């Protein structure tokens, strides 16, 4: 019965030498997966991942099951020899692995070179899950030096207009799990970070279109967006955010707009991407900047679950 997924016999939990997306594998997880496969011999890997998330209460901050992550986690357990999954029954497309470049959308490229006050007020449109999202994706792919990558997890995308002309694009996503200088600045331990990391977000893309040459525009956009993003996050994901962070590649930029907008310099990244298995630098080292959205941000980020 469904109840049996929640009443499996717990053994003394022992951590295993495997960690995936912030989850440390334990003997308890292995026991649970073995029980689920035994009780559901016809279940596909897709079904098992959902059952595992339900039984382990592994969910996103908005309550949705983390079944896609769980499928990859279970595959890692199999590769490490801890479990033996049933044979694949199908190969559903994985949008994270089979990414396609956004379709190009042409727009007019008229030079805008004027004082900031002459183009105010700007209009900010949160375009995630709206018809304008395709334009955002196209512009970032075409004109941002990193191109467009579909964010994983919670995220918001904005297009900024001066009258009827797009002048900028900016996006935010779920924050990286562990950033040493940030964690020290907030003051949270590992348990509290895991519990509350959904309450902070990460500025992943910021683009001023190349034909827009308006002094102070970037810092103005940052200042304005900081006043509304928490409300928009609440509307989209049913919880606020209290803190924003970003990384600046100092080989390309000076971080001037973040400094001008009173973002706080915290230190540097280690240059270790998630694919750095031997702890050797495999990407550029970047400056870390933070912007608390409320004066009491630590009270919210350090709060323990009741």
């Amino acid at each position: 019965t469904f109840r049996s997924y929640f009443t499996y016999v717990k053994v003394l939990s022992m951590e295993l030498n495997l960690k995936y997306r912030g989850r440390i594998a334990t003997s308890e997880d292995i026991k649970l997966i073995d029980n689920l496969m035994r009780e559901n011999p016809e279940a596909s890997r897709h079904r098992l991942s959902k059952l595992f998330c339900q039984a382990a209460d592994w969910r996103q901050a908005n309550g949705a099951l983390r079944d896609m992550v769980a499928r990859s986690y279970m595959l890692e357990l199999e590769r490490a020899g801890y479990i033996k999954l049933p044979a694949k029954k199908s190969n559903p497309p994985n949008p994270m692995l089979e990414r396609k470049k956004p379709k190009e959308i042409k727009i007019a490229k008229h030079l805008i070179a004027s004082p900031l006050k002459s183009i105010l007020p700007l209009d900010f449109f949160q375009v995630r899950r709206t018809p304008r999202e395709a334009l955002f994706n196209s512009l970032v792919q075409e004109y941002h030096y990193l191109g467009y990558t579909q964010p994983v997890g919670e995220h918001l995308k904005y297009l900024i207009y001066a009258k009827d002309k797009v002048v900028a694009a900016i996006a935010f996503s779920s924050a990286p799990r562990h950033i040493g200088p940030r964690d020290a600045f907030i003051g949270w331990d590992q348990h509290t970070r895991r519990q509350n990391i959904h309450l902070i977000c990460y500025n992943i893309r910021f683009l001023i279109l190349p034909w827009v040459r308006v002094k102070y525009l970037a810092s103005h956009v940052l200042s304005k967006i900081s006043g509304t993003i928490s409300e928009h996050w609440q509307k989209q994901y049913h919880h606020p955010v209290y803190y924003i962070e970003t990384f600046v590649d100092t080989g390309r930029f000076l971080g001037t707009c973040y400094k001008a907008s009173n973002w706080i310099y915290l230190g540097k990244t280690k240059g270790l991407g998630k694919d750095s298995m031997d702890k050797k630098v495999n990407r550029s080292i970047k400056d870390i900047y933070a912007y608390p959205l409320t004066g009491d941000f630590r009270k919210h980020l350090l709060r323990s679950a009741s």
Side-chain angles (χ1 to χ4, degrees), residues 114-117 213-219:
S114 56
L116 176 63
K117 65 180 181 180
R213 300 169 191 173
V214 178
K215 196 173 182 180
Y216 309 124
L217 174 60
S219 57

Side-chain angles (χ1 to χ4, degrees), residues 224-241:
K224 287 293 185 180
I225 207 78
S226 66
T228 58
I229 189 169
S230 186
E231 177 185 347
H232 293 164
W233 215 279
Q234 176 77 50
K235 181 178 180 181
Q236 191 80 278
Y237 295 111
H238 312 295
H239 68 83
V241 288

Side-chain angles (χ1 to χ4, degrees), residues 1-2 4-6 8 32-33 35-59 65 67 70-71 74:
T1 65
F2 188 77
S4 66
Y5 305 142
F6 297 89
Y8 63 91
L32 173 57
I33 295 169
N35 285 346
L36 290 172
M37 289 192 291
R38 184 171 57 256
E39 294 173 9
N40 301 273
E42 301 301 318
S44 65
R45 295 183 179 189
H46 181 271
R47 175 63 176 158
L48 285 171
S49 68
K50 288 183 178 293
L51 293 175
F52 175 73
C53 287
Q54 290 170 340
D57 198 25
W58 198 12
R59 300 175 182 273
L65 298 176
D67 54 297
R71 284 198 291 281
M74 292 165 66

Side-chain angles (χ1 to χ4, degrees), residues 129-153:
R129 295 175 178 164
T130 76
R132 297 190 203 216
E133 186 174 8
L135 176 58
F136 174 97
N137 298 351
S138 173
L139 293 175
V140 171
Q141 173 63 30
E142 183 71 18
Y143 299 110
H144 195 282
Y145 79 100
L146 292 175
Y148 177 78
T149 300
Q150 177 63 23
V152 176

